């Protein structure tokens, strides 16, 4: 399966339906008119014939968002309304984003990014363990004599242990502070 990208970077196979070729992706539906000359056509996605923002800068100026997207041509912003494009003010655009808040799609994107980051960290730790290396970063010291090395190892171990305990206590205090703030603001 080839990756075909509609206007606004929307994947044709995951954001549109082949069985309903007239319905645009939800994040860019305002880049297409309904019944006008810039209506959505599933088959034209990713081609030079894509009709997004037709007459208002073309498919490359379509900006996707959770409210259906808009066209940004120069310093002007447009949104499809029926079979025509109407200009929207920058104030309307700011209100659109300020009222958007944390939508399900935004939350989903954040969860995906966090899960991806956690997976990368876990994989890195596993790689280090397989190679026989300690995944916890140790401070290195210069080794001059064998007698001094043994003494330094003990001191480094204790120093590292105290450092890790300090980090742990700081993290716990941080979590308690966040919980107190959330309780005071009646969020939890």
């Amino acid at each position: 399966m080839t990756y075909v990208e509609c206007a606004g970077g929307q994947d044709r196979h995951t954001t549109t339906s082949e069985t309903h070729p007239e319905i645009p992706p939800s994040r860019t539906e305002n880049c297409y008119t309904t019944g006008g000359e810039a209506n959505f056509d599933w088959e034209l996605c990713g081609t030079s014939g894509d009709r997004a923002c037709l007459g208002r800068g073309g498919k490359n100026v379509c900006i996707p968002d959770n409210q259906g997207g808009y066209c940004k041509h120069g310093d002007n912003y447009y949104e499809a309304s029926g079979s025509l494009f109407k200009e929207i003010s920058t104030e309307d655009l700011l209100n659109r984003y300020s009222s958007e808040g944390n939508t399900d799609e935004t939350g989903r994107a954040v969860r995906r990014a966090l899960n991806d980051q956690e997976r990368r960290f876990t994989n890195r730790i596993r790689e280090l363990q397989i190679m026989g290396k300690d995944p916890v970063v140790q401070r290195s010291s210069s080794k001059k004599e064998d007698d001094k090395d043994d003494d330094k190892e003990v001191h480094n171990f204790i120093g590292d242990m105290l450092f890790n305990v300090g980090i742990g206590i700081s993290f716990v205090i941080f979590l308690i502070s966040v919980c107190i703030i959330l309780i005071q603001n009646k969020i939890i």
Side-chain angles (χ1 to χ4, degrees):
M1 177 189 318
T2 57
Y3 179 76
V4 179
E5 199 173 83
C6 297
Q10 304 298 299
D11 178 22
R12 178 173 73 176
H13 295 289
T14 59
T15 61
T16 63
S17 170
E18 193 172 0
T19 57
H20 300 287
E22 73 283 351
I23 300 174
S26 62
R27 291 178 50 83
T28 57
E29 64 188 352
N30 293 334
C31 293
Y32 299 94
T33 60
T34 53
E37 58 185 35
N39 56 335
F40 179 75
D41 186 351
W42 189 85
E43 304 241 347
L44 295 177
C45 271
T47 67
S48 59
D50 194 337
R51 299 186 198 129
C53 302
L54 189 66
R56 301 291 186 264
K59 69 175 186 163
N60 295 328
V61 299
C62 179
I63 310 293
D65 67 13
N66 292 336
Q67 305 293 325
Y70 58 91
C71 303
K72 181 181 188 263
H73 185 56
D75 290 334
N76 299 322
Y77 302 93
Y78 300 95
E79 182 177 68
S81 177
S83 61
L84 301 171
F85 283 100
K86 68 173 187 169
E87 187 170 349
I88 55 176
S89 67
T90 53
E91 184 177 309
D92 292 336
L93 202 58
L94 289 173
N95 289 337
R96 160 188 264 176
Y97 284 115
S98 66
S99 66
E100 191 172 275
N102 189 12
T103 62
D104 288 340
E105 192 155 332
T106 304
R108 186 174 25 247
V110 168
R111 282 192 308 274
R112 285 180 182 163
L114 287 173
N115 287 340
D116 189 44
Q117 186 69 21
E118 183 180 3
R119 179 187 49 78
R120 278 192 238 128
F121 281 137
T122 303
N123 287 346
R124 181 67 179 143
I125 289 170
R126 288 181 184 152
E127 285 175 12
L128 290 171
Q129 288 171 339
I130 289 170
M131 292 187 301
K133 296 181 180 177
D134 186 10
V136 179
V137 177
Q138 300 280 333
R139 291 188 212 152
S140 63
S141 63
S142 61
K143 298 181 181 180
K144 294 180 181 176
E145 297 175 15
D146 291 336
D147 295 335
K148 290 183 180 179
D149 288 342
D150 292 337
D151 191 38
K152 285 183 180 180
E153 283 183 32
V154 171
H155 285 96
N156 283 341
F157 173 76
I158 292 172
D160 288 340
M161 185 175 62
L162 291 174
F163 176 77
N164 290 335
V165 167
I167 293 292
I169 289 172
S170 299
F171 183 72
V172 169
I173 290 172
F174 173 76
L175 286 177
I176 291 171
S177 300
V178 168
C179 290
I180 289 172
I181 291 171
L182 292 176
I183 289 171
Q184 286 177 346
N185 291 333
K186 296 181 182 177
I187 295 175
I188 58 169

